[in-house]
Amino acid sequence: MTEFQIKKTPYANLILPVESSDGIQKWLIDNEEIWDKYVIDALENYMTNQSVLVEAGAYCGDHTIYLSKKCQFVLAFEPFRKYYYQLCGNLFINNCENVEA
């Protein structure tokens, strides 16, 4: 059974495994900053507080949480059950009420 922790980062609190062989989650645990920040940087030029975004492959929600603070609404898809549940937990603990997972 996987043991989880809540990792505090400058932009969100994230439910992440204590130990992970998953490269992205390991990076999130070790670096405490957003993964692939260049994606967010590219979107910044197009987002407003009236934007509605569709995120395909939302994973554990690291981008989703950030985007929810910048946009009116985010529709986040995650096909893998394990990550979908993690996404939902992360949305809940970060009060992302403008996201539909």
Side-chain angles (χ1 to χ4, degrees):
M1 179 175 267
T2 305
E3 188 177 340
F4 289 90
Q5 63 181 326
I6 295 179
K7 189 74 170 178
K8 295 183 185 297
T9 72
Y11 67 95
N13 295 320
L14 296 173
I15 300 169
L16 296 169
V18 172
E19 293 183 17
S20 180
S21 58
D22 176 315
I24 296 171
Q25 291 200 43
K26 183 169 178 21
W27 192 91
L28 289 169
I29 292 165
D30 293 343
N31 292 286
E32 297 183 358
E33 60 184 343
I34 202 159
W35 169 258
D36 280 350
K37 184 156 179 355
Y38 71 91
V39 173
I40 297 298
D41 292 341
L43 290 172
E44 288 282 353
N45 296 324
Y46 303 100
M47 289 187 299
T48 70
N49 61 354
Q50 298 299 308
S51 295
V52 175
L53 286 174
V54 176
E55 183 183 16
Y59 192 50
C60 68
D62 56 316
H63 287 160
T64 315
I65 294 163
Y66 182 87
L67 295 170
S68 76
K69 295 175 183 175
K70 301 286 185 173
C71 299
Q72 181 179 358
F73 185 78
V74 179
L75 183 57
F77 291 95
E78 178 47 56
F80 292 100
R81 181 174 293 168
K82 168 178 151 177
Y83 299 124
Y84 171 77
Y85 291 139
Q86 191 177 5
L87 165 67
C88 290
N90 283 326
L91 294 174
F92 180 77
I93 67 171
N94 286 282
N95 300 311
C96 297
E97 295 180 9
N98 64 334
V99 178
E100 179 75 29

Short mmCIF file of all heavy atoms in Angstrom, two decimals, residues 79-101:
data_model
loop_
_atom_site.label_atom_id
_atom_site.label_comp_id
_atom_site.label_asym_id
_atom_site.label_seq_id
_atom_site.Cartn_x
_atom_site.Cartn_y
_atom_site.Cartn_z
N PRO A 79 -7.57 9.87 -17.40
CA PRO A 79 -8.10 8.53 -17.65
C PRO A 79 -7.64 7.44 -16.69
O PRO A 79 -8.32 6.43 -16.54
CB PRO A 79 -7.63 8.23 -19.07
CG PRO A 79 -6.39 9.02 -19.23
CD PRO A 79 -6.60 10.27 -18.41
N PHE A 80 -6.52 7.61 -16.03
CA PHE A 80 -6.01 6.58 -15.13
C PHE A 80 -6.61 6.77 -13.74
O PHE A 80 -6.46 7.82 -13.12
CB PHE A 80 -4.48 6.62 -15.06
CG PHE A 80 -3.84 6.20 -16.35
CD1 PHE A 80 -3.37 7.15 -17.23
CD2 PHE A 80 -3.73 4.86 -16.69
CE1 PHE A 80 -2.79 6.79 -18.43
CE2 PHE A 80 -3.16 4.48 -17.89
CZ PHE A 80 -2.69 5.45 -18.77
N ARG A 81 -7.31 5.75 -13.28
CA ARG A 81 -8.07 5.83 -12.03
C ARG A 81 -7.21 6.30 -10.86
O ARG A 81 -7.63 7.16 -10.09
CB ARG A 81 -8.70 4.47 -11.72
CG ARG A 81 -9.52 4.48 -10.45
CD ARG A 81 -10.23 3.19 -10.24
NE ARG A 81 -11.23 3.07 -11.30
CZ ARG A 81 -11.89 1.97 -11.57
NH1 ARG A 81 -11.68 0.89 -10.90
NH2 ARG A 81 -12.79 1.96 -12.53
N LYS A 82 -6.03 5.72 -10.72
CA LYS A 82 -5.13 6.07 -9.60
C LYS A 82 -4.85 7.58 -9.57
O LYS A 82 -4.94 8.22 -8.54
CB LYS A 82 -3.84 5.27 -9.77
CG LYS A 82 -2.70 5.65 -8.91
CD LYS A 82 -1.55 4.69 -9.21
CE LYS A 82 -0.21 5.30 -9.01
NZ LYS A 82 0.88 4.37 -9.22
N TYR A 83 -4.54 8.15 -10.72
CA TYR A 83 -4.23 9.57 -10.79
C TYR A 83 -5.50 10.43 -10.73
O TYR A 83 -5.46 11.56 -10.24
CB TYR A 83 -3.40 9.90 -12.02
CG TYR A 83 -2.08 9.18 -12.02
CD1 TYR A 83 -1.71 8.37 -13.08
CD2 TYR A 83 -1.21 9.27 -10.94
CE1 TYR A 83 -0.51 7.69 -13.06
CE2 TYR A 83 -0.01 8.59 -10.92
CZ TYR A 83 0.34 7.80 -11.98
OH TYR A 83 1.53 7.13 -11.97
N TYR A 84 -6.61 9.90 -11.23
CA TYR A 84 -7.88 10.62 -11.14
C TYR A 84 -8.26 10.85 -9.67
O TYR A 84 -8.63 11.96 -9.29
CB TYR A 84 -9.00 9.85 -11.85
CG TYR A 84 -10.36 10.43 -11.60
CD1 TYR A 84 -10.78 11.58 -12.27
CD2 TYR A 84 -11.23 9.85 -10.68
CE1 TYR A 84 -12.03 12.12 -12.03
CE2 TYR A 84 -12.48 10.40 -10.44
CZ TYR A 84 -12.87 11.53 -11.11
OH TYR A 84 -14.10 12.08 -10.86
N TYR A 85 -8.14 9.82 -8.85
CA TYR A 85 -8.45 9.98 -7.42
C TYR A 85 -7.48 10.95 -6.75
O TYR A 85 -7.87 11.75 -5.89
CB TYR A 85 -8.43 8.63 -6.71
CG TYR A 85 -9.57 7.72 -7.10
CD1 TYR A 85 -9.37 6.37 -7.29
CD2 TYR A 85 -10.86 8.22 -7.28
CE1 TYR A 85 -10.42 5.53 -7.65
CE2 TYR A 85 -11.91 7.40 -7.64
CZ TYR A 85 -11.69 6.06 -7.83
OH TYR A 85 -12.72 5.23 -8.17
N GLN A 86 -6.22 10.88 -7.12
CA GLN A 86 -5.23 11.81 -6.58
C GLN A 86 -5.57 13.24 -7.02
O GLN A 86 -5.50 14.18 -6.22
CB GLN A 86 -3.84 11.40 -7.05
CG GLN A 86 -2.71 12.11 -6.36
CD GLN A 86 -1.36 11.60 -6.83
OE1 GLN A 86 -1.25 10.77 -7.73
NE2 GLN A 86 -0.32 12.09 -6.21
N LEU A 87 -5.95 13.40 -8.29
CA LEU A 87 -6.38 14.70 -8.81
C LEU A 87 -7.54 15.24 -7.99
O LEU A 87 -7.51 16.39 -7.54
CB LEU A 87 -6.79 14.55 -10.28
CG LEU A 87 -7.59 15.69 -10.91
CD1 LEU A 87 -6.74 16.95 -11.03
CD2 LEU A 87 -8.12 15.27 -12.28
N CYS A 88 -8.56 14.42 -7.76
CA CYS A 88 -9.74 14.86 -7.01
C CYS A 88 -9.36 15.28 -5.59
O CYS A 88 -9.85 16.30 -5.09
CB CYS A 88 -10.80 13.76 -6.98
SG CYS A 88 -11.57 13.48 -8.58
N GLY A 89 -8.50 14.52 -4.95
CA GLY A 89 -8.03 14.89 -3.60
C GLY A 89 -7.29 16.21 -3.60
O GLY A 89 -7.51 17.06 -2.73
N ASN A 90 -6.43 16.40 -4.59
CA ASN A 90 -5.68 17.66 -4.68
C ASN A 90 -6.59 18.84 -4.96
O ASN A 90 -6.39 19.93 -4.41
CB ASN A 90 -4.56 17.54 -5.72
CG ASN A 90 -3.39 16.75 -5.20
OD1 ASN A 90 -3.07 16.80 -4.01
ND2 ASN A 90 -2.75 16.01 -6.08
N LEU A 91 -7.59 18.65 -5.80
CA LEU A 91 -8.55 19.73 -6.06
C LEU A 91 -9.31 20.08 -4.79
O LEU A 91 -9.53 21.25 -4.49
CB LEU A 91 -9.51 19.32 -7.18
CG LEU A 91 -8.90 19.13 -8.56
CD1 LEU A 91 -9.94 18.58 -9.52
CD2 LEU A 91 -8.28 20.42 -9.08
N PHE A 92 -9.70 19.06 -4.03
CA PHE A 92 -10.45 19.28 -2.80
C PHE A 92 -9.65 20.05 -1.76
O PHE A 92 -10.13 21.04 -1.21
CB PHE A 92 -10.91 17.93 -2.23
CG PHE A 92 -11.69 18.07 -0.96
CD1 PHE A 92 -13.02 18.48 -0.99
CD2 PHE A 92 -11.12 17.81 0.26
CE1 PHE A 92 -13.75 18.61 0.18
CE2 PHE A 92 -11.83 17.94 1.44
CZ PHE A 92 -13.16 18.36 1.40
N ILE A 93 -8.41 19.63 -1.50
CA ILE A 93 -7.64 20.29 -0.44
C ILE A 93 -7.18 21.69 -0.83
O ILE A 93 -6.76 22.47 0.03
CB ILE A 93 -6.43 19.45 0.06
CG1 ILE A 93 -5.37 19.29 -1.02
CG2 ILE A 93 -6.91 18.12 0.61
CD1 ILE A 93 -4.07 18.66 -0.52
N ASN A 94 -7.28 22.03 -2.13
CA ASN A 94 -6.90 23.36 -2.60
C ASN A 94 -8.11 24.23 -2.94
O ASN A 94 -7.97 25.29 -3.53
CB ASN A 94 -5.96 23.25 -3.80
CG ASN A 94 -4.59 22.83 -3.39
OD1 ASN A 94 -3.80 23.62 -2.88
ND2 ASN A 94 -4.29 21.54 -3.54
N ASN A 95 -9.32 23.76 -2.55
CA ASN A 95 -10.56 24.52 -2.76
C ASN A 95 -10.78 24.94 -4.21
O ASN A 95 -11.19 26.08 -4.48
CB ASN A 95 -10.59 25.75 -1.85
CG ASN A 95 -10.53 25.37 -0.40
OD1 ASN A 95 -11.28 24.50 0.05
ND2 ASN A 95 -9.62 25.97 0.35
N CYS A 96 -10.50 24.04 -5.14
CA CYS A 96 -10.67 24.34 -6.57
C CYS A 96 -12.11 24.01 -6.98
O CYS A 96 -12.36 23.01 -7.64
CB CYS A 96 -9.67 23.54 -7.38
SG CYS A 96 -7.96 23.95 -7.02
N GLU A 97 -13.02 24.87 -6.61
CA GLU A 97 -14.44 24.63 -6.87
C GLU A 97 -14.84 24.97 -8.30
O GLU A 97 -15.96 24.66 -8.71
CB GLU A 97 -15.28 25.40 -5.87
CG GLU A 97 -15.07 24.89 -4.46
CD GLU A 97 -15.90 25.62 -3.43
OE1 GLU A 97 -16.77 26.43 -3.82
OE2 GLU A 97 -15.68 25.38 -2.23
N ASN A 98 -13.95 25.56 -9.06
CA ASN A 98 -14.25 25.90 -10.45
C ASN A 98 -13.64 24.88 -11.42
O ASN A 98 -13.42 25.17 -12.60
CB ASN A 98 -13.75 27.31 -10.80
CG ASN A 98 -12.24 27.43 -10.70
OD1 ASN A 98 -11.58 26.69 -9.95
ND2 ASN A 98 -11.67 28.36 -11.44
N VAL A 99 -13.39 23.66 -10.93
CA VAL A 99 -12.84 22.59 -11.76
C VAL A 99 -13.79 21.41 -11.74
O VAL A 99 -14.27 21.01 -10.68
CB VAL A 99 -11.45 22.14 -11.23
CG1 VAL A 99 -10.91 20.99 -12.08
CG2 VAL A 99 -10.47 23.29 -11.21
N GLU A 100 -14.04 20.86 -12.91
CA GLU A 100 -14.80 19.60 -13.03
C GLU A 100 -13.82 18.54 -13.51
O GLU A 100 -13.19 18.68 -14.55
CB GLU A 100 -15.92 19.78 -14.07
CG GLU A 100 -16.73 18.54 -14.29
CD GLU A 100 -17.69 18.25 -13.15
OE1 GLU A 100 -18.14 19.21 -12.50
OE2 GLU A 100 -18.01 17.08 -12.92
N ALA A 101 -13.66 17.52 -12.68
CA ALA A 101 -12.74 16.42 -13.04
C ALA A 101 -13.51 15.30 -13.69
O ALA A 101 -14.62 14.99 -13.31
CB ALA A 101 -12.02 15.93 -11.78
#
